[in-house]
Amino acid sequence: MCFRLFDLDPDLLPLFQYNCKKFSTPEECLSSPEFLEHIRKVMSVIDAAVSHLENLHSLAEYLANLGKKHQAVGVKLESFSTVGESLLYMLEKCHGPAFNMNVREAWTKLYSTVVKAMSCGWDI
Ligand code: HEM
């Protein structure tokens, strides 16, 4: 998923910095414990969205705040689409033919709902 992320947009690399330390290569970033922890954080948000499918609005405030935090670290809204593309790429690689059009559509819908809720925290 994350090799894909930096293939799609190498400019995202400097946004992942911990204790002001920037990574000089995607490989260095991908092998750092902090970055792996961030992947876990992303997946835990996706997991929460799946568990709250019937009442996603209960996550609205949390997601808007999460959006705000990402704007503060310099993330652009359009970069969330790049993360979405990497997520779909990874799911397709893992599930093979089982990842059919319907499943792709369901994941796309879920992820865009999460991003839409995060974008509510964006100050324009
Ligand atoms: C925190 C970067 C996308 C979920 C952070 C942090 C950074 C960051 C620098 C603070 C340090 C850390 O906790 O690792 C980015 C970048 C993204 C991105 C550059 C996209 C290009 C996402 C997405 C999600 C997400 C799509 C979830 C759907 C989180 C969570 C935290 C976090 C849950 C912890 C927030 C907290 O501590 O309260 N992100 N992120 N991130 N990110 Fe992201």
Side-chain angles (χ1 to χ4, degrees):
M1 169 182 171
C2 297
F3 269 116
R4 184 70 178 162
L5 183 67
F6 295 126
D7 279 350
L8 291 172
D9 188 356
D11 290 343
L12 291 176
L13 186 60
L15 294 179
F16 293 100
Q17 47 172 296
Y18 302 99
N19 299 323
C20 301
K21 185 189 169 292
K22 286 191 189 178
F23 300 105
S24 40
T25 60
E27 288 74 17
E28 194 191 337
C29 178
L30 290 164
S31 58
S32 80
E34 293 93 343
F35 185 77
L36 295 177
E37 193 52 39
H38 183 265
I39 299 176
R40 271 184 216 108
K41 289 175 188 172
V42 174
M43 295 319 288
S44 73
V45 173
I46 303 293
D47 186 48
V50 171
S51 326
H52 290 79
L53 271 187
E54 303 300 326
N55 60 338
L56 275 175
H57 61 90
S58 64
L59 298 178
E61 202 183 327
Y62 168 75
L63 291 174
N65 267 320
L66 190 58
K68 212 182 265 297
K69 285 184 185 170
H70 282 79
Q71 184 177 33
V73 293
V75 178
K76 299 269 174 289
L77 268 183
E78 53 272 24
S79 301
F80 287 141
S81 314
T82 317
V83 176
E85 267 185 67
S86 323
L87 178 69
L88 290 177
Y89 177 85
M90 181 268 293
L91 288 168
E92 192 164 17
K93 287 271 168 257
C94 294
H95 294 287
F99 195 73
N100 59 33
M101 281 303 283
N102 289 343
V103 181
R104 168 179 282 272
E105 221 169 88
W107 277 105
T108 305
K109 212 166 160 183
L110 176 90
Y111 183 76
S112 21
T113 308
V114 168
V115 168
K116 195 164 170 216
M118 285 171 80
S119 69
C120 290
W122 236 256
D123 296 323
I124 313 161

